[in-house]
Amino acid sequence: MTPLARFAGGALLALAAALPARAESLADTMVAAYRHSALIEQNRAVLRAADEDVAASVAALRPVVEWVARQSASRTEGGTTVRSTSLSLGAQLTLYDFGRSQLAIDGAKEQVLATRQALVGVEQDILLAATVAYFDVREAIQQVGLQENSVDVLSSERQAAQDRFDVGEITVTDVALAEAQLAATRAALAAANGQLEIAREAYLAVTGRQPGRLDAPPPLPNLPATLDEARQIAQRTHPAIGQSQRQAAAAEIGVAAAAAERNPTLSGTASVGVTRAPEASLGGRYGSRNSSSVGLELSQTLYSGGRLSAAHRRAMAQRDQARSALLNTARQISQQVGETWANIAVARAQITAINQQISAAQQAYDGVREEALLGARTTLDVLDAEQSLLEARADRISAESNLQLAHYQLLAAMGLLTVENLQLGIPTYDPSQYYNAVRDAPATSKQGESLDRVLRAIGRN
């Protein structure tokens, strides 16, 4: 490397170090959480396992080919040991089972769709956890700053009290009150710093990295005009409701499948084999015999000791359970929408009232300080006014954070807190990619290589 190149490289590094680090936005936090989450990876694997259930159901309609090798030995009355060896290749194929296999495929497909909805639900949970971590860190930083400012103000108050005591304007009791209030505020600052560390650890757990400088929150997301409209959106789009709907459909298919177990099954068989054993026509010497066979088999269970009836009743009970679960889930989602909608209204009302409280508290604090300088107010009055102003400012920080968070909680309650809906601009997991690769139960090496490529592509998302 030339000296000029080294100088240019050093200058670029120095410039990069001098530039302030880019602040992390809420979208950056969500993206980091989405890419870092092991829970999403876990549920993607659960979905791939459900995809394989479809492949297994499809495979039940295909022939089963087996080979069997046998070696046997027997002793005759004369003490002679006769050995025989056979090798056979057989195939069995279900020709018609009166819809049982197709019902199994349909049921497996419904479970796949239900699992896809569950994956969307996990995605929402991860993004909401990232949102909570982001606002918790920002709120904790603001609370620390507020407490630090309060410590500075009270330090000045304590020094002013000491100065007035030195000239005989106030008593030692006033100085002690100022010192006590300063110590209490320092304790509050320590607690705020501790809460900030806790918030940072939660941020690390969600995103896989410590929070840097956090950007200001984005504009509040647009919400429906009315609560009823929000509830209607939730009933259509929330993944928990979609999952329950698919599970209810799978349970309906399960009832039909249990009833179909009573139907006959028509299957075909074919086999070829060779046996090596002593032949009488050859004087006891070993010879080989070839064999082949084909056949049809029609079978039906006439009596199972009540097993099929119990399975049918169990399927009907599971169907009723799935229907009730769907109704219960829909009600819970409606309740969540209503609660988050109310939280938004409460936070807005709190911010309006707290702003008025801060304005009045600031005016009262300024007046009490002036009156204290004239001897009309005590040090305790000043400290009380300062504490009221501090508490109001801390409440406003919490209320503003709650308002921001409540908007995203409402999006989650409506089923809209997803990477796609938020337009985060990152590649997302395609649940149909793996399903399309395995739904026909691939078995050949060429199909296996294609499946390997799909798995590698999924791993890069």
Side-chain angles (χ1 to χ4, degrees):
M1 181 181 292
T2 65
L4 180 60
R6 285 196 298 269
F7 173 77
L12 290 175
L13 290 175
L15 179 60
L19 291 175
R22 186 179 73 87
E24 296 182 27
S25 66
L26 176 58
D28 295 332
T29 302
M30 289 182 173
V31 169
Y34 181 81
R35 290 174 170 169
H36 172 71
S37 174
L39 186 60
I40 289 182
E41 292 296 331
Q42 172 187 339
N43 282 268
R44 287 174 180 174
V46 171
L47 176 57
R48 292 196 293 272
D51 293 340
E52 296 292 357
D53 289 339
V54 176
S57 299
V58 170
L61 295 173
R62 295 177 179 172
V64 177
V65 180
E66 298 177 327
W67 64 267
V68 179
R70 291 187 179 89
Q71 174 73 40
S72 62
S74 60
R75 183 177 292 275
T76 63
E77 291 183 358
T80 303
T81 300
V82 179
R83 295 181 175 85
S84 64
T85 304
S86 64
L87 178 65
S88 62
L89 180 66
Q92 183 175 359
L93 173 64
T94 300
L95 300 176
Y96 191 66
D97 60 2
F98 296 86
R100 284 204 301 273
S101 296
Q102 187 58 51
L103 287 170
I105 294 173
D106 293 341
K109 287 180 178 179
E110 290 294 337
Q111 290 293 351
V112 166
L113 295 175
T115 310
R116 288 182 183 180
Q117 291 295 322
L119 181 58
V120 175
V122 172
E123 178 183 337
Q124 284 208 143
D125 292 341
I126 294 302
L127 296 182
L128 184 58
T131 305
V132 172
Y134 174 85
F135 284 115
D136 282 352
V137 171
R138 289 198 79 255
E139 179 183 353
I141 291 174
Q142 290 175 318
Q143 295 287 5
V144 168
L146 181 64
Q147 295 295 337
E148 287 177 343
N149 181 70
S150 181
V151 168
D152 293 339
V153 171
L154 285 173
S155 296
S156 299
E157 292 288 346
R158 190 265 176 212
Q159 185 59 46
Q162 182 65 46
D163 293 341
R164 294 177 65 191
F165 170 75
D166 292 340
V167 298
E169 292 183 1
I170 59 176
T171 67
V172 69
T173 303
D174 295 304
V175 178
L177 287 172
E179 290 179 345
Q181 187 65 38
L182 177 58
T185 305
R186 285 173 175 165
L189 174 59
N193 278 314
Q195 191 61 43
L196 176 57
E197 290 302 316
I198 292 173
R200 284 174 172 167
E201 289 299 322
Y203 190 99
L204 172 63
V206 171
T207 64
R209 65 192 187 197
Q210 287 284 355
R213 186 168 62 89
L214 299 184
D215 201 356
L220 293 175
N222 296 325
L223 299 179
T226 64
L227 174 58
D228 289 339
E229 184 179 351
R231 281 181 168 144
Q232 291 172 5
I233 293 174
Q235 295 298 318
R236 293 194 306 266
T237 61
H238 199 282
I241 295 179
Q243 180 184 3
S244 296
Q245 289 173 337
R246 293 299 181 180
Q247 289 174 338
E252 292 282 358
I253 295 174
V255 173
E261 287 295 326
R262 303 174 184 272
N263 295 331
T265 299
L266 177 63
S267 59
T269 60
S271 66
V272 293
V274 59
T275 301
R276 177 177 172 80
E279 295 283 351
S281 60
L282 298 177
R285 290 178 298 173
Y286 282 86
S288 298
R289 290 180 296 173
N290 298 327
S291 63
S292 62
S293 66
V294 294
L296 291 175
E297 181 180 300
L298 181 65
S299 62
Q300 182 179 15
T301 301
L302 298 178
Y303 178 70
S304 63
R307 177 180 59 84
L308 295 179
S309 298
H312 191 200
R313 292 192 299 270
R314 179 180 61 191
M316 289 189 290
Q318 291 172 340
R319 175 197 59 192
D320 295 340
Q321 174 191 357
R323 288 175 176 176
S324 298
L326 172 58
L327 178 59
N328 187 53
T329 300
R331 289 173 177 174
Q332 289 178 343
I333 297 304
S334 180
Q335 178 185 354
Q336 290 178 12
V337 172
E339 289 177 351
T340 53
W341 188 276
N343 288 338
I344 291 175
V346 168
R348 285 174 175 166
Q350 284 180 332
I351 291 174
T352 301
I354 291 172
N355 285 335
Q356 296 174 353
Q357 179 186 0
I358 290 174
S359 178
Q362 183 68 58
Q363 185 177 0
Y365 174 66
D366 294 338
V368 169
R369 286 192 65 186
E370 292 296 329
E371 293 173 3
L373 293 176
L374 299 175
R377 292 283 184 173
T378 65
T379 302
L380 180 60
D381 294 330
V382 176
L383 296 176
D384 288 342
E386 196 278 336
Q387 183 64 27
S388 297
L389 180 59
L390 173 65
E391 291 175 354
R393 288 175 174 170
D395 290 342
R396 182 172 63 181
I397 292 173
S398 298
E400 289 175 345
S401 180
N402 291 338
L403 177 62
Q404 293 275 352
L405 180 58
H407 277 73
Y408 291 94
Q409 289 173 332
L410 181 57
L411 288 180
M414 292 190 298
L416 301 178
L417 194 67
T418 62
V419 171
E420 180 180 1
N421 186 67
L422 296 175
Q423 299 180 355
L424 296 181
I426 57 174
T428 56
Y429 184 82
D430 182 6
S432 63
Q433 189 176 17
Y434 186 85
Y435 173 81
N436 293 334
V438 303
R439 63 180 178 179
D440 294 327
T444 64
S445 58
K446 183 177 180 180
Q447 289 170 314
E449 292 174 358
S450 176
L451 182 57
D452 289 339
R453 288 195 297 270
V454 170
L455 287 173
R456 287 194 295 270
I458 289 174
R460 288 195 296 267
N461 284 338

